[in-house]
Amino acid sequence: MTSSTAHDVIRWERDADGIVTLVLDAPGRSANTVDAAFTAALDRAVDRLERERDDLTGVVVTSAKKSFLAGADLRELIAVPRERAADFLAANLAVKRTLRRLETLGRPVVAALGGSALGGGYELALACHHRIALDAPGSEIGLPEVTLGLLPGGGGVTRTVRLLGLLGALPTVLLEGRRHTPREALAAGLVDELAADPEELLTKARAFVRANPDAGQPWDTEGYRIPGGTPGDRALAPRLIALPAQLEKRLRGAPFPAPRLLLATAVEGAQVDLETALLVEGRYLTELVTGQTAKNMIQGLFFDLRAVTARRDAAARPARPTRRVAVLGAGEQAGAIARACAAAGLDTAVTEATEELAGRDVVVVAAPDEADPDHKAFEHVAAALDPDTLLCATSPAVPVARLAEQTGRAELVGLRFAGPADRARLVEIVRGPATGDAALARALDLARVLGRTPIVVHEGPGGSFVSRVLGRYLAEGAAMVGEGIAPASVEQAAAQAGFGTGPLALLDEVSLPLFRRTRGGAAPHPGDAVVDRMLDTFDRPGRAAGAGFHDYDAEGRRTRLWPGLREHFASAGAAPADPAELGERLLFAAAIEALRCLEEGVVASVAEANVASLLGVGFPGWTGGALQFATGHPGGPPAVAARAAALSAAHGERFAPPPLLAAKAGRGAVFTDG
């Protein structure tokens, strides 16, 4: 095999059969990325392919990295301002012209995917005539751009619609942004073959080239029709009409522009020729890239999440790794923690007896705290353990500082899962005043083994970060009920603001007694009186009891808002509430508390605050997190401070801008760890 080093990002190799292998191999980087250097190198490589076409048998595109090709350089995308929209669109169309030249080369082109091909990486594969994926663990294939507020703009929408049809491409590949394993990608039609090992991958790729000298794209053949038809086809039109309604049902009015524009891109593009469809796609992508929502989502859901995960993975490995875990408790949370540990391959036992805890690396106490208000059980548990066994408390109503004082243990942390432990993505590691570095390292290692994203927090008045920020969201929703606002309007306003679950439904899930116990030293809130009345007067503690702000059936499914809310809390003659203002109150209530937590050192970084608010609180994804909400708000922190002051004047001191916000606003600064 002869080789040329003319292209540093894409290596050119040609064998004796005239098959050129383009090896993606960005120097000095662990992964290939669709950045300016790559697109320039690809353009040069296609130039050479066109010059030497008559002497070529075909082309194989592969990678020297563990992955095939990542998507666009997000740092480049997040920096594109609105005034550079025309330049961005021109650059996008230039890349598409290069890919179009590749797929119309007149020689077979095969993508040999030796690892993950996501976003722009898979779009390059789509511009090839045949796609073969290595059936490797951890490899992912797909177009997840919508999860970051974008759409596949390198031909991904245009080509998947022509490959799979509108109904084949839209629901899962495009609108959900699903990441497929190689076998799932084969079943979905995203790849054509699988290979068992790297050698077979290249062997199959070259075999396709030799067997298919006239290979081309199906959409370039005469008489080609999009599978399932175009929007104007009578058979497809009725089914297609349902897609916008299904999308709106899922979004519930929340301000996520990407799915809506993606749907428009696919439908409009299916009605025109391919070149025009690529232009439509580019224009809609440009609108998203230069808008604020994508910048928010990229910051919070990519850069901040990556920073938090990197800290977890960089933490020193403890001298005593976690292999044997005991979960003390018999409730739902204890079972969920045990399932999470067992799924991670840990030797896991669930018990209610302290005498069965010896020899365990970690003991997680998930017993209901209301049965032990003085936390005496922890003293008995601590006494039964080896001195270096890590003791974890899960209840947000159990102050870690008090437990440390009672037990005298440095090997003690709070371990707070944001939701059922077997499904929660985030875990708070609460560090008490006596928690040692060794205990912290072991807790981080446990989070790594469980595959959870951890944030290290301290407790302040009202609890740790998630309990405080979530508590303010829930309390504000309850306060609205107390003001006589229709409960359905409260829940709808939360949905339209982008929260996954309304505050009243979430109060029921958390349970009103737990909410009351965890509000602890937090400042009084008008929502507290509503919760007290729901418990003390109406005996409606939440979903587990079948009665809360909502009614529930025998299986625990929500059936309706409790009619008594209107009877007991409604204000006669009250003016209809503005859903936008209600949603704004919910957003500001949570964001202001997140700012206070950063100010007080409850959470140590902007990235951790954003990630914890997104994964732990359910703060709307379009904001990029509670602090990115302030940065990305129209007008930035100064406008947020001004609006907070106005809300404070209208609704109470709880909305007053914290000093940290006022200081940022005064300097014209934004919230960043940089």
Side-chain angles (χ1 to χ4, degrees):
M1 179 175 287
T2 60
S3 174
S4 169
T5 59
H7 310 305
D8 53 351
V9 178
I10 301 177
R11 195 166 64 248
W12 176 290
E13 298 177 350
R14 176 173 171 167
D15 66 12
D17 294 332
I19 299 175
V20 169
T21 301
L22 299 179
V23 184
L24 314 183
D25 191 12
R29 302 182 67 170
S30 60
N32 301 303
T33 304
V34 182
D35 56 11
F38 174 82
T39 55
L42 181 63
D43 193 57
R44 293 193 300 268
V46 173
D47 282 346
R48 183 174 178 183
L49 288 172
E50 290 178 331
R51 289 196 306 270
E52 302 181 16
R53 173 173 45 207
D54 293 344
D55 298 325
L56 301 181
T57 305
V59 182
V60 175
V61 185
T62 192
S63 170
K65 312 294 187 185
K66 290 183 178 180
S67 61
F68 176 69
L69 178 63
D73 186 324
L74 293 176
R75 292 201 181 277
E76 291 183 1
L77 286 185
I78 204 172
V80 179
R82 183 74 71 181
E83 51 269 24
R84 281 186 49 212
D87 294 337
F88 176 83
L89 176 59
N92 174 260
L93 295 177
V95 173
K96 289 176 177 175
R97 284 193 293 272
T98 300
L99 293 176
R100 187 72 178 129
R101 289 162 57 206
L102 180 66
E103 71 180 353
T104 58
L105 181 66
R107 294 291 183 270
V109 182
V110 181
L113 311 177
S116 292
L118 295 169
Y122 182 65
E123 289 179 299
L124 172 59
L126 279 171
C128 299
H129 307 133
H130 195 70
R131 288 163 291 280
I132 308 171
L134 181 66
D135 189 12
S139 184
E140 296 179 317
I141 296 167
L143 297 168
E145 284 89 341
V146 72
T147 63
L148 293 177
L150 300 168
L151 60 80
V157 178
T158 301
R159 290 189 175 90
T160 53
V161 166
R162 282 158 172 75
L163 179 69
L164 305 173
L166 284 163
L167 296 181
L170 276 169
T172 57
V173 176
L174 295 174
L175 289 176
E176 288 187 10
R178 182 178 298 177
R179 297 166 180 250
H180 300 75
T181 67
R183 294 188 182 189
E184 289 170 344
L186 179 65
L190 298 177
V191 300
D192 304 296
E193 290 185 77
L194 298 182
D197 55 57
E199 182 178 356
E200 185 183 40
L201 179 69
L202 293 178
T203 298
K204 283 188 171 185
R206 295 184 182 114
F208 179 87
V209 168
R210 287 189 289 267
N212 298 273
D214 299 321
Q217 296 288 32
W219 42 87
D220 287 325
T221 61
E222 188 175 351
Y224 175 78
R225 286 179 53 82
I226 293 176
T230 64
D233 292 350
R234 289 185 177 181
L236 177 62
R239 301 178 66 190
L240 197 58
I241 289 173
L243 284 179
Q246 292 168 359
L247 178 60
E248 290 306 321
K249 181 180 179 181
R250 179 160 67 90
L251 296 179
R252 301 189 302 163
F256 289 95
R260 296 180 174 96
L261 294 190
L262 202 160
L263 179 59
T265 300
V267 174
E268 292 175 25
Q271 301 176 77
V272 296
D273 63 273
L274 186 136
E275 300 295 342
T276 306
L278 292 173
L279 176 59
V280 169
E281 180 187 275
R283 285 174 171 168
Y284 278 130
L285 174 66
T286 301
E287 183 174 341
L288 292 172
V289 166
T290 58
Q292 188 59 47
T293 299
K295 298 181 190 305
N296 289 342
M297 296 179 72
I298 291 169
Q299 182 62 50
L301 292 167
F302 183 81
F303 289 118
D304 288 343
L305 180 59
R306 187 170 69 170
V308 172
T309 303
R311 289 181 199 138
R312 177 199 70 184
D313 295 340
R317 296 293 187 265
R320 180 175 176 177
T322 300
R323 295 190 179 92
R324 305 186 71 218
V325 176
V327 182
L328 185 66
E332 188 175 308
Q333 180 73 327
I337 294 171
R339 289 192 296 272
C341 292
L346 299 174
D347 179 351
T348 306
V350 183
T351 180
E352 294 184 74
T354 55
E355 60 268 17
E356 298 179 15
L357 301 178
R360 295 284 166 173
D361 303 309
V362 176
V363 171
V364 181
V365 179
D369 59 280
E370 66 268 18
D372 183 27
D374 296 323
H375 317 307
K376 292 296 184 182
F378 274 87
E379 296 183 37
H380 299 299
V381 173
L385 301 180
D386 298 335
D388 61 347
T389 297
L390 180 65
L391 179 59
C392 303
T394 66
S395 174
V398 179
V400 172
R402 182 174 177 183
L403 295 179
E405 182 181 355
Q406 287 182 239
T407 63
R409 293 182 68 88
E411 293 290 305
L412 186 147
V413 298
L415 198 69
R416 313 276 172 74
F417 292 92
D422 52 348
R423 300 195 303 272
R425 295 175 61 189
L426 182 94
V427 60
E428 280 186 308
I429 298 172
V430 185
R431 186 171 191 170
T435 302
D437 291 339
L440 182 61
R442 294 176 67 188
L444 286 167
D445 188 59
L446 176 60
R448 180 187 60 80
V449 171
L450 294 178
R452 302 304 189 264
T453 299
I455 60 163
V456 178
V457 299
H458 295 275
E459 283 180 310
S464 57
F465 181 88
V466 169
S467 62
R468 284 180 58 171
V469 177
L470 180 61
R472 288 292 156 159
Y473 168 65
L474 300 179
E476 197 63 29
M480 292 173 181
V481 173
E483 294 167 17
I485 296 170
S489 297
V490 176
E491 299 291 77
Q492 182 60 34
Q496 291 180 355
F499 289 95
T501 305
L504 307 182
L506 198 52
L507 268 166
D508 285 355
E509 294 291 327
V510 169
S511 91
L512 277 65
L514 181 58
F515 171 82
R516 182 154 69 178
R517 289 195 302 276
T518 55
R519 69 194 185 201
H525 192 288
D528 296 344
V530 176
V531 171
D532 290 343
R533 194 174 174 198
M534 289 289 290
L535 287 170
D536 301 334
T537 303
F538 306 119
D539 190 24
R540 297 186 66 87
R543 184 182 69 85
F549 285 93
H550 291 75
D551 286 331
Y552 297 86
D553 63 18
E555 283 72 42
R557 294 186 294 260
R558 282 197 304 272
T559 58
R560 61 177 181 173
L561 282 157
W562 178 45
L565 293 175
R566 181 173 294 277
E567 175 186 351
H568 298 293
F569 293 99
S571 296
D578 177 6
E581 183 183 359
L582 297 182
E584 185 182 43
R585 280 176 59 182
L586 294 170
L587 287 164
F588 269 75
I592 287 172
E593 190 66 18
L595 286 165
R596 292 193 183 106
C597 286
L598 182 66
E599 188 174 68
E600 296 168 14
V602 172
V603 66
S605 69
V606 171
E608 286 177 305
N610 282 333
V611 170
S613 64
L614 291 167
L615 303 187
V617 177
F619 205 77
W622 65 267
T623 67
L627 300 191
Q628 181 61 28
F629 169 71
T631 293
H633 192 279
V640 172
R643 184 57 184 150
L647 288 170
S648 178
H651 299 288
E653 187 65 21
R654 63 188 182 277
F655 285 106
L660 178 62
L661 175 60
K664 290 282 187 183
R667 297 197 307 271
V670 297
F671 290 95
T672 177
D673 292 321

